[in-house]
Amino acid sequence: MELISLKFALFLVASLTTYYVAGRLVPKLQWVVLLASSMAFYKLVGSWKTLALMVAVALVTWLAALGLHALDQACAKARKTTKDRTAKKALRQRFLVRKRVVLIAALAVCLGILGYFKYWNVLLFYVGKAPDTFSLGILLPLGISFYTFQVVGYLIDAYNQKYAPERNFARYLLFVSWFPQIIQGPINRFDQLSHQLMEPHGPGGTHVEHGLLRLGYGMLKKIAIANVLSNAVWAIFHGAAGPAIPGSLALYGVLVYSIQMYADFSGGIDIVEGISELFGIQMAQNFRQPYFSVSLADFWRRWHMSLGAWMRDYVFYPLAVTSGSRRFGKWAGKHFGKHAGRTLPACVANIIVFLLVGLWHGAEAHYLVWGLYNGVIVALSDLCKPLFDKLVEVMHVRRESAGFHLFGIVRTFAVVCVGRYFDCFDHVSDAFFAMRNAVMGLDWEPVSSALASAGAIYASGWGFTVPTLLACAFVLVVDVFYERGTNVRDAVLAWRLPLRVALYAALIVLVASAAALDTTGGGGGFLYANF
């Protein structure tokens, strides 16, 4: 069941109607409708097996969190009855060991299941035990990466006593299975989402209007931009991949891919965020105008924000504060100076984090190289900061000037685009061929003819159609306003009704025109199509 389909629209209308009717009759049980809708959605787009797997993962983590809480309470009770400090310390250490056993066992189950479904095929292929990465017929269960990361975060928070665990399994299951988050995220936190799921909501207020606007905006990105451009993207990175890829196509391809990927992923997030807002539930923000970033680190704070925050809190910080990292920092400071001592442990942690992000996208070599590239660039930027600061000072550059800010945006976009070569080509060698030809290709073939040779349908328009160009211009204007601090949705809702109707009508015509040209059958997802 596609999100943009009549079947899903009927499902959504039925869920919303039932939800708000229940809110009028039994507000305290309104959350039960959300749970029933989430279970129904999971069955409609998946199967009973995938539903059973998700419930099993939820049950394991729910029980483990309760077990961790029980151990904390037992430890506190035992320490109260003991006055000797040494005995108290020994008690605390003994219970800490038990907690670690529970945590590691639960994490092993969750990450083991994720690893089996996501990486076992690929591993056997690389060791020569399978002819290809699909030979075993192991299919990824719907949303497994997202709900696994959510429950792992919940477990670690319970271990660290950030909040008391949920005692009602049905309520916890709703947090894990909330259907708008299943397809593309975001990765939500229990303390930020759970209370919203439990609170009663009515159809009044601005959340329905905000949700509809965001839903429509996401459809504009997905249909008018991502789906149409996917034709050219596929032709370039599959039809033309190899040593002979024209330099013009290699350079143009990474640019159009950056546009298509942003429209596809952020458009999908806008759709699911808008759907959630229709129910009065605000999920975690996942995008904040990433192409206005002034550094690669800034870019990753704006792109897939919930994944970045998850990696920061549950991987980066634990790695950066280990005793080994502290010893390494002291050694580096003694041999290379204070700045190196402060930053080198964080640099190593950043490289590990980005390698894991690459592995999260897939076990193929090109994803790992992509992760390593981003990690090394971010690490070098931190390590070389004093040198960059000195260079800016010597050149008398005003950091607060508009020109320097624009330079930072262009530089960052170029750095991001180089990394894109590794995630859009299936083979690392093809990525290097494309970069070589983009820089050194002297016999540049015109983009339109190169696209036609690669099999792109809209070659005459370089892969773009008129509705796509208009949609890109609209998205750019909206992003500029958001970057300048304007809440565009609030501003639009403040317009007079005739103006709003005119805008909505124009955008509907734009989306309908693009949909008529769509050759993907409603698809068009690329990197983030794998759950």
Coordinates of all heavy atoms in Angstrom, one line a residue, residues 107 140 158 196 207 210 215 247-248 288 310 333 342 357 378 381 496 516 524:
L107 N 19.7 -6.0 23.9 CA 20.3 -5.4 22.7 C 20.8 -6.4 21.7 O 20.6 -6.2 20.5 CB 21.5 -4.5 23.1 CG 21.2 -3.2 23.9 CD1 22.5 -2.5 24.2 CD2 20.3 -2.3 23.1
L140 N 13.5 -7.5 4.1 CA 13.5 -6.7 5.2 C 12.1 -6.4 5.7 O 11.2 -6.0 5.0 CB 14.1 -5.3 4.9 CG 15.7 -5.2 4.9 CD1 16.1 -3.9 4.4 CD2 16.3 -5.5 6.2
A158 N 16.3 3.7 29.8 CA 15.8 3.0 30.9 C 17.0 2.5 31.8 O 16.9 2.6 33.0 CB 14.9 1.8 30.5
Q196 N 2.1 12.3 24.1 CA 1.2 12.8 23.0 C 0.3 11.7 22.5 O -0.9 12.0 22.2 CB 2.0 13.4 21.9 CG 2.9 14.5 22.2 CD 3.5 15.1 20.9 OE1 2.9 15.6 20.0 NE2 4.8 14.9 20.7
H207 N -3.9 22.2 14.5 CA -3.0 21.0 14.1 C -3.6 20.3 12.8 O -2.8 19.8 12.0 CB -2.9 20.0 15.2 CG -4.2 19.4 15.6 ND1 -5.0 19.9 16.6 CD2 -4.9 18.3 15.2 CE1 -6.1 19.1 16.8 NE2 -6.0 18.1 15.9
H210 N -2.4 22.6 9.9 CA -1.0 22.5 9.8 C -0.7 21.1 9.1 O 0.2 21.0 8.3 CB -0.3 22.6 11.1 CG -0.1 24.0 11.5 ND1 -1.0 24.8 12.2 CD2 1.0 24.8 11.4 CE1 -0.6 26.0 12.4 NE2 0.7 26.0 12.0
L215 N 1.2 17.9 4.7 CA 1.0 16.7 3.9 C 1.0 17.1 2.4 O 1.6 16.4 1.5 CB -0.4 16.1 4.2 CG -0.9 14.9 3.4 CD1 0.0 13.7 3.5 CD2 -2.3 14.5 3.9
G247 N 31.8 12.9 -18.8 CA 32.1 13.8 -17.6 C 30.9 14.7 -17.3 O 30.6 15.0 -16.2
S248 N 30.3 15.2 -18.4 CA 29.1 16.1 -18.2 C 28.0 15.4 -17.4 O 27.4 16.0 -16.5 CB 28.6 16.6 -19.6 OG 28.2 15.5 -20.4
R288 N 16.1 20.5 8.5 CA 16.0 21.9 8.7 C 16.9 22.6 7.6 O 18.1 22.9 7.9 CB 16.5 22.2 10.1 CG 16.4 23.7 10.5 CD 16.7 23.9 12.0 NE 18.0 23.4 12.4 CZ 19.1 24.0 12.3 NH1 19.1 25.3 11.7 NH2 20.2 23.5 12.7
W310 N 20.3 10.5 17.5 CA 20.4 9.2 18.1 C 21.8 8.8 18.1 O 22.3 8.3 19.2 CB 19.5 8.2 17.2 CG 19.3 6.9 17.9 CD1 18.2 6.5 18.6 CD2 20.2 5.8 17.9 NE1 18.3 5.2 19.0 CE2 19.6 4.7 18.7 CE3 21.5 5.5 17.4 CZ2 20.1 3.5 18.9 CZ3 22.1 4.3 17.6 CH2 21.4 3.3 18.4
G333 N 47.4 15.1 23.7 CA 47.7 16.5 24.2 C 49.2 16.6 24.6 O 49.8 17.7 24.3
R342 N 42.2 17.6 23.0 CA 40.7 17.8 23.1 C 39.9 17.2 22.0 O 38.8 16.7 22.2 CB 40.4 19.3 23.3 CG 40.8 19.9 24.6 CD 40.2 21.3 24.8 NE 40.5 22.2 23.7 CZ 41.5 23.0 23.7 NH1 42.3 23.1 24.7 NH2 41.7 23.8 22.6
V357 N 26.7 4.9 10.5 CA 25.6 5.4 9.7 C 25.7 4.8 8.3 O 24.6 4.5 7.7 CB 25.7 7.0 9.6 CG1 24.7 7.5 8.6 CG2 25.4 7.6 11.0
V378 N 34.6 15.5 8.6 CA 34.2 16.1 9.8 C 35.3 16.1 10.8 O 35.6 17.1 11.5 CB 32.9 15.4 10.4 CG1 32.6 16.0 11.8 CG2 31.7 15.6 9.5
S381 N 38.0 18.6 9.8 CA 37.5 20.0 10.0 C 37.7 20.4 11.5 O 38.1 21.6 11.8 CB 36.0 20.1 9.6 OG 35.9 19.8 8.3
R496 N -5.8 35.8 3.6 CA -7.2 35.8 3.4 C -7.6 34.6 2.6 O -6.8 34.0 1.8 CB -7.7 37.1 2.6 CG -7.5 38.4 3.4 CD -8.0 39.5 2.6 NE -7.8 40.8 3.3 CZ -8.8 41.3 4.2 NH1 -9.9 40.6 4.4 NH2 -8.6 42.4 4.8
A516 N 0.8 13.2 -14.0 CA 0.5 12.7 -15.3 C 1.8 12.4 -16.1 O 1.7 11.5 -17.0 CB -0.3 13.8 -16.1
G524 N 9.8 6.0 -7.0 CA 10.7 7.1 -7.1 C 11.7 7.2 -6.0 O 12.6 8.0 -6.0

